[in-house]
Amino acid sequence: MSEDKAIWPPVEPIAAGLKGRCPRCGEGKLFSSFLSVGKECGVCGLDYSFADAGDGPAVFVILIIGFVVVGLALWLEVNFGPPLWLHLLLWIPLTVVLSLGSLRLIKGVLITLQYRNKAAEGRLDKGE
């Protein structure tokens, strides 16, 4: 990512990411569709080519939603002992809805934090 020369007031990266807004100006849209990052900000013109969240959002969703759903399923099983069909009826739709709902939020936060911290691909320093 090249050095950003534009002067913009600081934007809270977590709030901008949760809202799906531009990490530089906080106004333009970050996403062009549900999970696709746009080409550039429509307000400030920031090029989003630096934005590469990779598999990070999926890993966070798996860990967070998995912890919540498995914890609730175990609690329900220990306290009430419902039949298997009830577990399937409850936990599969809940897992899908929570995963899809949180994936965009987490991806937006990771991209805005990537911009804020000037994160880039790792490079080896050649001491010549």
Side-chain angles (χ1 to χ4, degrees):
M1 179 170 69
S2 63
E3 188 64 30
D4 189 5
K5 305 264 192 279
I7 298 176
W8 294 90
V11 173
E12 168 57 39
I14 304 292
L18 290 175
K19 293 176 187 173
R21 299 293 178 197
C22 173
R24 178 165 67 184
C25 67
E27 297 296 323
K29 293 188 338 183
L30 181 62
F31 296 102
S32 60
S33 65
F34 184 65
L35 286 175
S36 298
V37 178
K39 294 193 184 298
E40 68 178 21
C41 176
V43 176
C44 69
L46 176 65
D47 182 20
Y48 292 150
S49 62
F50 72 90
D52 181 23
D55 293 334
V59 170
F60 282 114
V61 166
I62 290 169
L63 292 173
I64 294 168
I65 303 305
F67 177 77
V68 170
V69 170
V70 169
L72 289 173
L74 287 173
W75 174 82
L76 184 69
E77 180 63 33
V78 167
N79 288 322
F80 300 104
L84 181 61
W85 65 267
L86 185 60
H87 280 292
L88 296 175
L89 189 67
L90 286 174
W91 307 123
I92 292 175
L94 182 67
T95 302
V96 170
V97 168
L98 289 177
S99 296
L100 290 176
S102 61
L103 191 58
R104 179 181 165 114
L105 299 174
I106 292 174
K107 185 172 185 175
V109 168
L110 288 179
I111 289 173
T112 56
L113 286 172
Q114 181 182 16
Y115 175 80
R116 175 65 164 249
N117 296 311
K118 297 176 179 65
E121 185 176 331
R123 292 176 182 78
L124 294 176
D125 185 26
K126 304 219 178 191
E128 295 179 37

